[in-house]
Amino acid sequence: IICYILLISLTVTFLVMVYVSGIKNYRRITMSFIIGCTIGFFVEEMLTLFFKVNVVYSILAGLDVAFIITALLMIVNVYNFFKVHDDSYFGIFKYIKKMPKLMFINSLYLAGIFGHSVIIWHYAPLSLNVANSYLVAPLYDVPAFYALLTVMPAMVIFVVKTETTFYDYYKEYMKMLAGGGRLNYL
């Protein structure tokens, strides 16, 4: 149950990060993580020291609390930033029709991240069937997970760097075009 809650909270945090990148208030984002991790650390310590819970379970419970609080704080930030709240759940389809290349690129991106694991699960002798429901390959999945974790900070740094530097150039470029500027000025 603790691991399932961790999976769900990590997934929600990861999904909210997509919207948080639109806010561009990195101080609030950082504070959400700091507050969540601090409270999670204190929960872990209390469970270990005062309630004598096994260290592994205490750490997992602390991570659960940390990511739930982080996700909730970021959801509040997103909700407060985007003032227009639309209950149209299928409005996304008009954007898929408008920008099909973006859908194609995202599909390739996800295939690059997870495709190799699916191939290993279905075709490699490393594959195990758990409870006649889940295919796993622990000897492959663990190193693949660590590889994804090592690449994740680089992806985040790239996105933040691109968003923070490109936006200034783009704003200046559009201002020059709107004011009668020429392209050879750059």
Side-chain angles (χ1 to χ4, degrees):
I1 292 173
I2 292 173
C3 290
Y4 180 74
I5 293 170
L6 182 61
L7 173 68
I8 297 301
S9 61
L10 279 169
T11 303
V12 169
T13 302
F14 187 71
L15 290 173
V16 173
M17 288 298 294
V18 173
Y19 295 101
V20 168
S21 67
I23 294 175
K24 297 194 186 342
N25 189 340
Y26 299 108
R27 181 171 287 139
R28 281 191 178 175
I29 296 167
T30 305
M31 287 308 296
S32 297
F33 276 103
I34 290 172
I35 291 169
C37 289
T38 303
I39 293 172
F41 174 75
F42 284 120
V43 166
E44 180 270 327
E45 288 297 314
M46 284 183 5
L47 288 173
T48 303
L49 298 175
F50 298 121
F51 296 104
K52 305 296 184 208
V53 176
N54 184 324
V55 175
V56 174
Y57 292 126
S58 298
I59 291 172
L60 287 172
L63 282 171
D64 286 351
V65 170
F67 280 108
I68 288 170
I69 290 174
T70 301
L72 288 174
L73 290 173
M74 287 195 296
I75 288 170
V76 167
N77 287 330
V78 169
Y79 193 79
N80 289 335
F81 182 80
F82 295 106
K83 298 295 182 192
V84 177
H85 303 292
D86 188 6
D87 290 335
S88 171
Y89 299 111
F90 301 105
I92 186 75
F93 292 116
K94 68 181 176 185
Y95 293 105
I96 292 173
K97 187 176 180 181
K98 222 186 241 187
M99 297 177 258
K101 289 181 184 176
L102 190 59
M103 182 74 171
F104 178 71
I105 290 169
N106 189 40
S107 298
L108 290 178
Y109 173 75
L110 290 174
I113 290 178
F114 299 112
H116 57 91
S117 291
V118 173
I119 291 169
I120 294 294
W121 295 337
H122 287 283
Y123 300 111
L126 299 172
S127 179
L128 300 173
N129 191 338
V130 178
N132 291 326
S133 296
Y134 304 106
L135 292 174
V136 296
L139 290 174
Y140 184 80
D141 290 343
V142 172
F145 173 70
Y146 287 140
L148 182 62
L149 285 182
T150 60
V151 174
M152 194 68 69
M155 291 172 22
V156 170
I157 290 169
F158 173 76
V159 169
V160 170
K161 185 83 168 161
T162 303
E163 285 182 356
T164 55
T165 57
F166 177 75
Y167 178 73
D168 294 331
Y169 290 118
Y170 178 74
K171 188 169 72 173
E172 187 66 27
Y173 170 74
M174 293 308 286
K175 190 167 59 173
M176 287 189 328
L177 284 181
R182 295 184 312 248
L183 290 176
N184 62 1
Y185 175 74
L186 294 173

